[in-house]
């Protein structure tokens, strides 16, 4: 493209915490066109030229050239031909002419059968978008149609329910004063939570009164909505509700101003519009500049809150502000956000649909993503749901957090041992509408059945109003008939999770098992739990995630819940895996799932957590765990540990109740079901079984009034080589012969087995099972 020698392009090496160069020959391409990412050059205002060709010499005839790209990530606006392709990039000037040499050439292959998910270019993506208000949810033409539908049928799309429960109550509520913040400006959990709820309610008041007033054309309701809006607009954008003070508070205030500005735009004077717009713009600028310039999520995409702000706050605010600002900075940020969601998102998973931060943060991230995706689709026509991640991500909670589970999961979770938040089911209902998958609708209905009347719980009401969810969903998507989910498993390769669900639609026979060994290590809301597992059966949580997510950075969080000691995992020389605050060390304490497959009569999973244990125990040379789920009935767990010097092993298992212990056997009995277990001697010798109820090192006030779990420990003496097989047999309390039948099926005396008097026979049988 140029005849003169150009400066060499700076092409820094990608790190574990940075965005990667993609696609490459090793990339599994799942959509067409693929998403292009590279490390940015030092210059903040740099622009790039990208070339793609089916010929590595990039002849003009077969080369597509995209110029003036302002970011280090890009989605072309056209699909590519099937087959092999090559790409490289360079820095360019304002005219699109390269000012550096092109980068290294990388290759990729477009296979058959992948969806076409091109992104319209900046020049065309708003061609059919209105500049009138409102723009969020309903545009002005759709609003007229909706008014007519409600007039003809007050219960249209559950309008009557939304109006009665989520609009009218705010007419008489006192307007919230500007929050005073924390005592001495030192953050405390009770003040954080109280203010969080109040600011969410301020958003509900403004949004719902504005919508209610516009749909019913009630002047008193519109006037009350304006009073709320103009009052909140007077708050100091850089004060106690600023992003720097508490970002989650700032997001809610910004959302309140966003919906009020958009839906009351035509009801305000120009002076009122200017006041609200100025407040909204200043808050939006603060959030946008933090994500783009401060956190640099296009370079370091693992900042949980900054990434979440794109869909939670920036997309709706920037749609509302587009072309209303003289310098139109909002349009530039909106393009950034659209391209981030279309290219980089989700940094927490891949096309399999997994979410490395866990099922609770999947729920939260997807709730906001769904709102952003729906707002973008209705306003611009851009459909993020075509991307494979969004087509598949409903499988993540479906297989890793059944509707009847409480503590059988990984990662931070704010439900404190309750059933999954109903928003998990509402998210799945959205994906049912997008994909037509009836199992997602089944999950939504089953969770609603099991967990009724929890809409006002903090972890629901503090984040969303389900009446609004119902209203907006029914205006945009169809109801899908529920179908029972099939038994089986899903391997979410990108995040290193495997979820097994057997007979989930039949509680009397339901067994669930989740194992994790993740390349994301313990970063963000993940924990030091590589090669850990959780298990539940027959409506009972059995092998659980211990502790509670009472607050980020609480003693429970830092000293127990994030640490390997609270997992169904092993300790080596009394140590687990790195799970503290250094992000680079957290990201390096990794694991990986090496296999997950259905075999003739069992499901087999193999995980490698060697790197995770080496983070604190460098003498370790191997830390593998194999799982055999046999005949949809029982589990055999084989742990393999090798080390340069002798190491002890503590095999940990957590349950809601204390255990009954034998010499090398144990039993745990719940309310509906229980499980029996047996551990085998390793080469190091016989284990010593002990148990402890409680959370050592945790401030008791943090879990006051909450149930306390018990940890079983099987301690193995020091050796350079450990091979430990463990049997877990869940059973229903009304089926006491289940264990005996299982043992008899294996061909030896169940009575001897159950009394620990035949250890050698047990060891032989278990080794045989492990090698099957």
């Amino acid at each position: 493209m140029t005849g003169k020698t150009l400066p060499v392009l700076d092409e820094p090496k990608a790190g574990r915490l940075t965005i990667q160069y993609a696609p490459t020959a090793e990339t599994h391409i799942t959509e067409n066109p693929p998403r292009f990412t590279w490390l940015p050059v030092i210059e903040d205002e740099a622009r790039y030229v990208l070339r793609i060709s089916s010929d590595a010499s990039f002849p003009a005839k077969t080369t597509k050239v995209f110029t003036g790209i302002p970011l280090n990530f890009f989605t072309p606006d056209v699909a590519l031909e099937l087959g092999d392709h090559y790409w490289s990039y360079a820095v360019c000037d304002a005219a699109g002419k390269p000012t550096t040499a092109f980068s290294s050439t990388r290759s990729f292959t477009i296979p058959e059968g992948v969806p076409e998910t091109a992104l319209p270019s900046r020049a065309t993506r708003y061609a059919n978008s209105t500049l009138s208000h409102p723009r969020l949810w309903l545009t002005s033409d759709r609003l007229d149609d909706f008014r007519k539908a409600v007039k003809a049928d007050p219960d249209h799309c559950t309008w009557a329910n939304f109006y009665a429960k989520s609009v009218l109550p705010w007419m008489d509520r006192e307007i919230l004063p500007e929050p005073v913040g924390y005592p001495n400006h030192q953050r405390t959990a009770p003040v954080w939570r109280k203010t969080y709820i109040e600011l969410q309610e301020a958003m509900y008041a403004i949004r719902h009164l504005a919508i209610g007033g516009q749909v019913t054309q009630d002047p008193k309701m519109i006037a009350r909505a304006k009073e709320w809006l103009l009052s909140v607009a007077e708050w100091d954008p850089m004060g106690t509700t600023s992003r720097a003070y508490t970002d989650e508070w700032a997001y809610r205030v910004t959302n309140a101003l966003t919906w009020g500005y958009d839906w009351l735009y035509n009801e305000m004077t120009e002076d009122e519009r200017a006041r609200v717009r100025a407040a909204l713009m200043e808050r939006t600028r603060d959030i946008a500049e933090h994500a783009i310039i401060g956190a640099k999520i296009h370079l370091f995409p693992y900042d949980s809150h900054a990434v979440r702000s794109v869909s939670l706050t920036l997309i709706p605010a920037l749609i509302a502000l587009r072309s209303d600002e003289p310098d139109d900075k909002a349009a530039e940020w909106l393009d950034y956000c659209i391209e981030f969601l279309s290219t980089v998102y989700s940094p927490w998973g891949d096309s399999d649909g997994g979410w490395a931060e866990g099922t609770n943060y999947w729920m939260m991230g997807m709730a906001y993503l769904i709102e952003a995706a729906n707002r973008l689709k209705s306003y611009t026509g851009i459909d993020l749901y075509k991307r494979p991640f969004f087509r598949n991500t409903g499988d993540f909670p479906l297989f890793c957090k059944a509707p009847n589970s409480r503590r059988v999961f990984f990662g931070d979770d704010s439900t404190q041992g309750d059933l999954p938040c109903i928003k998990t089911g509402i998210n799945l209902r959205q994906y049912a509408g997008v994909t037509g998958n009836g199992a997602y609708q089944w999950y939504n209905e089953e969770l609603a059945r099991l967990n009724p009347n929890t809409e006002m719980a903090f972890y629901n009401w503090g984040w969303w109003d389900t009446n609004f969810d119902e209203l907006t969903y029914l205006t945009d998507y169809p109801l899908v008939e529920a179908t029972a989910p099939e038994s089986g498993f899903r391997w979410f390769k990108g995040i290193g999770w495997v979820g097994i669900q057997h007979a989930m639609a039949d509680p009397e026979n339901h067994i669930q098992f989740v194992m994790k060994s993740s390349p994301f290590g313990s970063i963000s809301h993940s924990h030091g739990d590589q090669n850990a597992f959780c298990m539940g059966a027959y409506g009972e949580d059995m092998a659980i995630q211990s502790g509670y997510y009472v607050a980020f950075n609480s003693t429970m969080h830092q000293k127990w819940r994030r640490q390997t000691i609270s997992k169904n995992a092993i300790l080596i020389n009394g140590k687990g895996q790195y799970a503290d605050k250094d992000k680079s060390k957290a990201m390096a304490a990794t694991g990986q799932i090496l296999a997950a497959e259905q075999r003739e009569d069992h499901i087999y999973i193999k995980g490698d957590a060697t790197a995770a244990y080496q983070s604190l125990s460098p003498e370790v040379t191997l830390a593998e765990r194999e799982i055999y789920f046999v005949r949809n009935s029982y589990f055999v767990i084989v742990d393999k540990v090798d080390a340069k010097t002798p190491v002890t092993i503590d095999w940990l298992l957590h349950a809601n109740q204390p255990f009954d212990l034998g010499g090398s056997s144990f039993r745990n009995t719940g309310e509906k079901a229980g499980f029996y277990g047996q551990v085998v001697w390793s080469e190091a010798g016989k284990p010593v079984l002990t148990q402890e109820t409680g959370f050592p090192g945790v401030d008791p006030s943090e879990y006051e009034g909450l149930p306390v779990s018990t940890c079983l420990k099987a301690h193995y003496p020091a050796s350079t080589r450990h091979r430990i097989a463990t049997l877990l047999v869940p059973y229903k309390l009304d089926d006491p012969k289940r264990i005996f039948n299982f043992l008899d099926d294996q061909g030896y005396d169940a009575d001897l087995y159950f009394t620990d008097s035949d250890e050698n026979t047990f060891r032989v049988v278990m080794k045989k099972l492990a090698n099957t």
Side-chain angles (χ1 to χ4, degrees):
M1 297 177 64
T2 179
K4 65 179 182 179
T5 302
L6 295 172
V8 175
L9 175 68
D10 180 23
E11 215 171 336
K13 183 179 180 180
R16 289 289 291 121
L17 293 173
T18 69
I19 203 165
Q20 303 294 302
Y21 292 93
T24 68
E26 291 73 37
T27 302
H28 175 52
I29 302 296
T30 59
E31 55 190 320
N32 185 6
R35 274 44 186 169
F36 295 87
T37 58
W38 57 90
L39 264 65
V41 298
I42 296 175
E43 295 83 358
D44 290 336
E45 302 299 324
R47 290 181 173 268
Y48 303 91
V49 54
L50 172 71
R51 60 182 185 178
I52 308 170
S53 178
S54 57
D55 186 328
S57 63
F58 296 99
K61 186 176 181 180
T62 66
T63 301
K64 290 182 173 61
V65 179
F66 303 90
T67 63
I69 300 171
L71 305 167
N72 60 302
F73 53 89
F74 183 69
T75 299
D77 58 353
V78 293
L80 305 179
E81 295 178 357
L82 303 184
D84 296 336
H85 295 270
Y86 304 87
W87 72 280
S88 61
Y89 68 95
V91 176
C92 69
D93 59 22
K97 186 176 181 180
T99 58
T100 68
F102 275 89
S103 68
S104 303
T105 297
R106 296 172 172 85
S107 65
F108 61 92
T109 301
I110 301 288
E112 294 183 356
V114 297
E116 293 189 0
T117 57
L119 176 67
S121 69
R122 292 188 175 193
T124 64
R125 69 179 55 145
Y126 306 109
N128 298 317
S129 300
T130 181
L131 292 179
S132 64
H133 293 273
R135 304 171 185 176
L136 300 176
W137 176 40
L138 300 178
T139 52
S140 55
D141 55 336
R142 292 184 66 199
L143 176 58
D144 288 339
D145 292 339
F146 188 79
R147 283 191 186 115
K148 295 174 184 176
V150 167
K151 188 174 183 179
D153 175 13
D155 202 33
H156 175 69
C157 294
T158 68
W159 170 259
N161 178 68
F162 170 74
Y163 187 74
K165 295 180 178 180
S166 297
V167 177
L168 289 178
W170 300 109
M171 286 292 291
D172 299 322
R173 283 280 295 269
E174 291 187 8
I175 295 175
L176 179 72
E178 183 172 6
V180 297
Y182 302 110
N184 299 317
H185 300 300
Q186 298 296 312
R187 180 168 177 157
T188 63
V191 174
W192 175 86
R193 179 172 293 200
K194 177 178 181 293
T195 308
Y196 193 109
I197 288 277
E198 290 174 344
L199 295 175
Q200 184 74 7
E201 290 182 334
M203 191 269 284
Y204 294 155
I206 293 172
R207 183 180 68 184
H208 299 167
L209 287 172
I211 291 173
Q214 288 288 16
V215 172
T216 63
Q217 297 182 301
D218 180 343
K220 291 183 179 180
M221 188 169 287
I222 290 173
R224 187 59 174 163
K226 282 181 59 178
E227 289 175 349
W228 271 89
L229 175 63
L230 295 173
S231 176
V232 173
E234 294 301 316
W235 295 357
D236 181 3
M238 296 297 107
T240 58
T241 57
S242 67
R243 184 207 57 78
Y245 196 86
T246 302
D247 58 0
E248 294 282 12
W249 294 1
Y251 297 157
R252 272 129 197 92
V253 177
T254 305
N255 284 349
L257 295 176
T258 293
W259 281 90
Y261 176 75
D262 185 47
W263 275 76
L264 297 172
Y265 184 92
N266 297 316
E267 309 300 331
M268 292 187 286
T269 66
E270 182 52 46
D271 176 67
E272 290 170 335
R273 281 197 293 265
R275 286 159 50 197
V276 176
R277 183 168 59 243
L280 175 56
M281 187 64 183
E282 187 169 0
R283 291 178 179 276
T284 303
R285 182 186 300 278
D286 186 31
I287 296 169
E289 289 184 346
H290 172 72
I292 300 168
I293 300 173
K296 290 183 170 61
I297 58 175
H298 51 280
L299 176 58
F300 305 106
Y302 304 112
D303 187 315
S304 181
H305 284 215
V307 168
R308 190 191 313 161
S309 72
V310 171
S311 51
L312 164 60
T313 304
L314 292 177
I315 287 288
L318 296 169
I319 288 175
L321 286 167
R322 177 177 169 260
S323 297
D324 285 357
E325 277 293 302
D327 63 0
D328 208 18
K329 194 69 175 178
E332 178 184 328
W333 295 329
L334 180 57
D335 282 326
Y336 177 100
C337 292
I338 290 172
E339 289 158 15
F340 185 89
L341 294 181
S342 299
T343 309
V344 180
Y345 202 83
S346 163
W348 301 112
D350 62 4
S351 60
D352 291 326
W355 189 275
E357 293 183 298
T359 50
N360 188 76
Y361 275 81
W362 175 92
M363 173 200 66
M364 190 174 299
M366 284 302 99
Y368 300 134
L369 182 282
I370 284 168
E371 289 200 19
N374 290 346
R375 304 298 88 84
L376 280 175
K377 187 176 180 183
S378 64
Y379 183 65
T380 69
I382 294 171
D383 188 356
L384 292 176
Y385 294 124
K386 292 181 179 179
R387 299 196 65 199
F389 172 83
F390 301 113
R391 307 294 294 186
N392 297 328
T393 196
D395 278 357
F396 183 53
L398 185 68
F399 280 88
C400 295
K401 194 173 188 178
N404 64 351
S405 63
R406 296 173 183 270
R407 297 179 178 89
V408 184
F409 56 82
F410 300 109
D412 289 336
D413 189 305
S414 60
T415 56
Q416 313 294 44
D418 289 347
L419 290 171
C421 296
I422 53 175
K423 188 67 172 183
T424 305
I426 292 170
N427 288 351
L428 279 177
R429 191 262 305 269
Q430 173 71 52
Y431 286 118
V434 168
T435 65
N437 188 334
Y440 297 165
Q441 180 68 24
W442 174 89
Y443 188 110
N444 176 51
E445 294 178 10
E446 180 68 3
L447 184 54
R449 182 185 71 82
L450 293 171
N451 204 10
N453 304 316
T454 58
E455 294 86 355
M456 299 305 296
F458 166 71
Y459 48 75
N460 287 320
W461 180 248
W463 277 264
W464 30 74
D465 181 311
T466 57
N467 300 315
F468 181 73
D469 292 337
E470 187 79 7
L471 172 71
T472 54
Y473 176 82
L474 292 175
T475 59
D476 292 337
Y477 293 93
L479 283 175
V480 174
E481 183 177 356
T483 57
E486 297 180 357
S487 296
F489 75 97
R490 288 290 185 276
W491 177 7
F492 300 95
K493 295 183 180 180
I495 64 167
W497 288 46
V498 179
I500 297 172
Q501 296 291 345
H502 172 68
M504 183 159 50
D506 179 8
E508 293 298 311
N509 294 294
H510 177 212
I511 296 178
Q512 57 182 322
F513 184 93
V514 186
M515 179 175 173
K516 173 186 175 185
S517 201
S518 175
F520 287 84
S522 56
I523 195 171
S524 187
H525 293 283
S526 295
H527 299 167
D529 51 10
Q530 317 322 318
N531 273 10
F533 69 87
C534 292
M535 185 262 289
Y538 316 121
E540 192 93 19
D541 288 351
M542 295 186 174
I544 67 166
Q545 155 69 73
S546 173
Y548 299 93
Y549 182 40
V550 293
F552 196 82
N553 285 334
S554 62
T555 62
M556 171 71 82
H557 186 243
Q558 290 297 332
K559 295 185 178 182
W560 183 258
R561 193 172 174 85
R562 285 186 58 82
Q563 304 301 325
T564 314
I565 188 70
S566 68
K567 317 301 176 188
N568 303 308
I570 63 171
L571 304 180
I572 301 176
N573 278 341
K575 301 175 184 177
Q577 307 162 16
Y578 183 87
D580 292 327
K581 297 181 180 181
D582 187 314
K583 286 187 176 182
S584 61
K585 291 182 180 179
M587 194 63 143
T590 60
Q592 58 178 324
I593 298 294
L594 302 177
E597 56 197 38
Q598 177 70 59
R599 295 181 175 176
E600 184 175 352
D601 67 346
H602 67 278
I603 294 172
Y604 172 74
I605 308 169
K606 183 177 182 179
D608 181 359
T610 305
Y613 284 101
Q614 286 175 336
S615 64
L616 298 181
S617 301
E619 68 273 20
V620 173
T621 59
L622 179 71
E624 290 183 346
R625 169 168 278 180
E626 295 173 295
I627 305 293
Y628 302 80
F629 179 40
V630 185
R631 301 178 186 172
N632 298 321
S633 183
Y634 60 90
F635 299 88
V636 176
I637 302 165
V638 179
D639 287 290
K640 302 177 181 179
V641 177
D642 293 336
K644 298 175 184 177
T645 57
V647 295
T648 62
I649 299 295
D650 291 325
W651 194 96
L652 307 180
L653 186 66
H654 296 265
N656 287 321
Q657 304 80 212
F659 293 82
D660 297 318
L661 300 183
S664 61
S665 68
F666 53 88
R667 183 199 302 269
N668 192 276
T669 305
E671 295 180 1
K672 303 175 183 177
F675 64 98
Y676 168 82
Q678 181 97 30
V679 292
V680 178
W681 301 7
S682 78
E683 285 84 343
K686 182 178 180 179
V688 175
L689 269 60
T690 59
Q691 61 180 312
E692 182 176 11
T693 298
F695 310 114
V698 177
D699 181 350
S701 67
E702 294 179 356
Y703 58 92
E704 185 177 358
L706 295 172
V708 179
S709 59
T710 297
C711 176
L712 178 148
K713 179 191 296 184
H715 179 78
Y716 291 86
S719 175
T720 58
R721 174 184 167 89
H722 292 269
R723 297 296 184 269
I724 304 169
T726 307
L727 169 72
L728 292 180
V729 185
Y731 59 89
K732 290 179 278 190
L733 293 185
D734 60 357
D735 187 14
K737 293 183 178 181
R738 177 175 171 76
I739 298 172
F740 290 88
N741 292 338
F742 151 71
L743 296 173
D744 287 337
D745 284 346
Q746 302 307 313
Y748 56 92
D749 191 328
D751 291 320
L752 288 176
Y753 204 36
F754 214 54
T755 59
D756 283 336
S757 62
D758 196 14
E759 296 277 9
N760 290 330
T761 299
F762 175 78
R763 180 166 54 186
V764 171
V765 171
M766 291 296 290
K767 285 186 175 180
K768 181 179 178 181
L769 283 173
N771 291 325
T772 300

